[in-house]
Amino acid sequence: MEDRHDQEEIYSQRIKAGKRTYFFDVKATRGQDYYLTITESKRRMRDDDTFSYEKHKIFLYKEDFLKFVDALQDAVDFVREELLTPEEVAELDRPRPAYDEGREGGYSPSRPADDTY
């Protein structure tokens, strides 16, 4: 079995969201089989005033991409249509500044050492 640390990372995007950071990484196995890892990282304060990072990771294999995207869209649509007020939906739909891939994540063939995952 391959060591996961030896697998090639070929695309990466980082999304900062409040106290959390999400990483979307496309990787390839030695046999050129592609998969996606989605990592949630939360910074936690320790008792000694230092920080640690709590991480949760999902491995998503290429044969499941479309099913995953469909289920995610269905869940988002349900929340928007059934659970949120019109005001909350309007806030979600509010125009935001354009995402600048060069500054906050975006494509990166190799992540700088200061990223926390």
Side-chain angles (χ1 to χ4, degrees), residues 28-41:
T29 65
R30 290 182 189 145
Q32 294 304 297
D33 197 16
Y34 300 102
Y35 64 98
L36 171 68
T37 61
I38 303 170
T39 306
E40 174 200 40
S41 179

Side-chain angles (χ1 to χ4, degrees), residues 45-111:
M45 177 75 83
R46 294 181 179 154
D47 292 336
D48 63 358
D49 291 335
T50 62
F51 292 100
S52 66
Y53 293 89
E54 181 180 305
K55 301 170 204 162
H56 300 96
K57 189 172 283 204
I58 296 172
F59 288 82
L60 186 61
Y61 299 94
K62 69 180 185 219
E63 60 269 18
D64 299 322
F65 287 176
L66 291 177
K67 291 184 273 186
F68 185 89
V69 169
D70 287 344
L72 178 61
Q73 188 62 60
D74 288 347
V76 169
D77 290 345
F78 176 80
V79 170
R80 290 175 60 94
E81 295 165 11
E82 303 295 330
L83 303 176
L84 299 181
T85 66
E87 294 78 17
E88 290 169 320
V89 172
E91 176 61 22
L92 289 177
D93 292 341
R94 179 178 56 84
R96 306 251 187 315
Y99 179 76
D100 183 352
E101 289 187 3
R103 295 185 61 203
E104 280 299 323
Y107 170 72
S108 171
S110 61
R111 188 182 324 278

